[in-house]
Amino acid sequence: MAFHQAPTDGEPHPEAHLHVECYPPYRMRDRLKFLAGSEIGAGVFTVDVDPDRTAAEVQGVEVSLD
């Protein structure tokens, strides 16, 4: 579910109105993650990586404190 409203910049926006969009669950067994309503509504994907793989990558980084 996503909510869209008029901008909050203090200016009048007669073209904008509050509306709600309801999305069905996009779930597939072979998908890495499920799309959240906020991701679909905003058109962006957040943290779309496997956490175990990312942890292994971070652990493999060499840090030198000279």
Side-chain angles (χ1 to χ4, degrees):
M1 179 180 296
F3 293 86
H4 299 273
Q5 66 180 28
T8 58
D9 60 3
E11 299 295 321
H13 291 276
E15 76 286 356
H17 60 277
L18 175 66
H19 69 275
V20 178
E21 295 176 1
C22 297
Y23 301 101
Y26 290 107
R27 297 174 189 248
M28 298 172 75
R29 292 176 193 231
D30 59 341
R31 272 207 176 149
L32 176 61
K33 75 184 276 297
F34 304 133
L35 294 176
S38 59
E39 293 174 318
I40 297 170
V44 297
F45 302 98
T46 58
V47 192
D48 202 12
V49 296
D50 177 28
D52 294 327
R53 181 176 174 187
T54 304
E57 289 178 15
V58 171
Q59 291 170 349
V61 174
E62 290 188 32
V63 178
S64 175
L65 301 174
D66 293 330

